[in-house]
Amino acid sequence: MNKLRELTISELSTEVEHFVKERKWEKYHNPKDLAEGICIEASELLEIFLWRDPKEASELIDDPIKFKEVEEEVADVMIYCLSLANSIQIDLTKAILHKLELNKKKYPAEEYCGKARL
């Protein structure tokens, strides 16, 4: 597979599944441990931003070393999310589209446009 082209969520899920199977890690990929892994990796991502104000946090993208750290932690979070979805057979495309529809109803654009809260 050409890794440089854009992949669908389904294709990324398959790549992660293949990675896990090659290492025979399926026995470790239970929902509880994968959910914990998501939280741990998300905490590592959050740590990069610790004690920075919003402006400083936004400027991290200009620092190639910090940007790479952020990129890798985001990837780790996504890999764990894909692994969890794989382990319990969630169709992520379907789940995300469904959740977006629910959120459209919960947060109508005409009421929430440009607002964090009402």
Side-chain angles (χ1 to χ4, degrees), residues 16-109:
V16 169
E17 184 177 38
H18 181 70
F19 179 87
V20 169
K21 283 183 178 179
E22 278 186 324
R23 286 150 186 82
K24 297 183 177 13
W25 286 352
E26 298 94 340
K27 63 184 172 187
Y28 306 114
H29 280 221
N30 61 75
K32 178 196 78 71
D33 288 335
L34 292 168
E36 288 174 355
I38 292 167
C39 291
I40 291 164
E41 293 300 338
S43 294
E44 290 176 9
L45 173 62
L46 187 58
E47 185 177 28
I48 296 168
F49 296 96
L50 183 64
W51 310 121
R52 299 177 194 277
D53 64 36
K55 184 178 183 303
E56 291 171 321
S58 295
E59 291 169 351
L60 286 178
I61 62 169
D62 298 326
D63 178 339
I65 293 170
K66 285 293 182 191
F67 180 80
K68 192 70 176 166
E69 286 179 45
V70 170
E71 182 179 61
E72 289 178 2
E73 294 305 335
V74 168
D76 282 340
V77 171
M78 290 303 301
I79 289 167
Y80 270 101
C81 288
L82 291 167
S83 292
L84 177 58
N86 285 341
S87 79
I88 57 177
Q89 287 83 48
I90 291 175
D91 178 334
L92 278 174
T93 300
K94 183 178 173 183
I96 290 168
L97 291 174
H98 174 71
K99 187 61 178 177
L100 283 172
E101 285 303 314
L102 292 175
N103 286 345
K104 285 177 187 177
K105 291 175 186 164
K106 187 174 181 179
Y107 306 106

Side-chain angles (χ1 to χ4, degrees), residues 6 10-11 17 62 70 96 100 115 117-118:
E6 289 185 23
S10 178
E11 289 169 326
E17 184 177 38
D62 298 326
V70 170
I96 290 168
L100 283 172
K115 301 175 188 172
R117 61 182 86 90
L118 284 181

